[in-house]
Amino acid sequence: DRAEIALNRHLSMSWMATPLMAEIAQDWITGGTADALLAAQRVELAARNRLAARVLGPRAQGFLHGLHRWLPLPDGCDEADLLAQALSHQVALAPGAGFAMLPSGPALRLSLGGVPMRDLEQALRIVSAILPPDSRI
């Protein structure tokens, strides 16, 4: 099939950075731009993680500079039901089952990026409100 041949060719040729991207990366690294961007991201991620900790409490596990939080749910809690409730409020969450490295109970994976801080705060407050009572702070 031609589509499969084209896909295979694309995949085999796209495993390296293009010369232009490599040149830009080298310039950013040697010129300090990469360090400045990393520092700015760390500041933003720390603020977002502090917000998540403040709204969701200590059950929402994560790292200060992480992009996600892990929120364990009480045993027997239905991840799909919470996902549907959140979505009905325009908040998209990820089921923990798709990300757990070890066998675990129900959980949610919360992304802290991709939206302005005020929207993140509103979404976290919605998540907090739909959690079962024994999941809240």
Side-chain angles (χ1 to χ4, degrees):
D1 167 66
R2 287 180 183 213
E4 187 174 338
I5 292 169
L7 176 62
N8 288 337
R9 182 173 298 146
H10 173 73
L11 290 173
S12 67
M13 297 176 70
S14 297
W15 286 104
M16 62 173 259
T18 64
L20 177 60
M21 290 295 108
E23 184 71 25
I24 292 170
Q26 178 185 354
D27 184 55
W28 283 15
I29 292 167
T30 59
T33 300
D35 287 334
L37 290 171
L38 177 61
Q41 280 191 331
R42 289 176 62 85
V43 167
E44 181 68 18
L45 286 170
R48 288 170 179 264
N49 275 282
R50 283 189 204 99
L51 173 64
R54 190 169 63 248
V55 173
L56 297 173
R59 277 190 68 110
Q61 305 160 2
F63 299 100
L64 183 61
H65 300 108
L67 189 55
H68 300 92
R69 285 266 156 173
W70 184 256
L71 183 60
L73 299 169
D75 286 337
C77 189
D78 186 354
E79 288 179 2
D81 181 53
L82 282 176
L83 295 173
Q85 285 183 56
L87 199 52
S88 75
H89 294 284
Q90 308 295 313
V91 176
L93 301 171
F99 296 93
M101 298 298 290
L102 301 171
S104 67
L108 299 174
R109 184 174 184 251
L110 310 172
S111 174
L112 303 180
V115 296
M117 187 71 90
R118 70 180 182 283
D119 294 342
L120 175 62
E121 182 172 6
Q122 181 180 1
L124 291 170
R125 292 196 185 286
I126 289 168
V127 170
S128 178
I130 66 172
L131 289 175
D134 50 349
S135 295
R136 298 185 187 138
I137 336 174

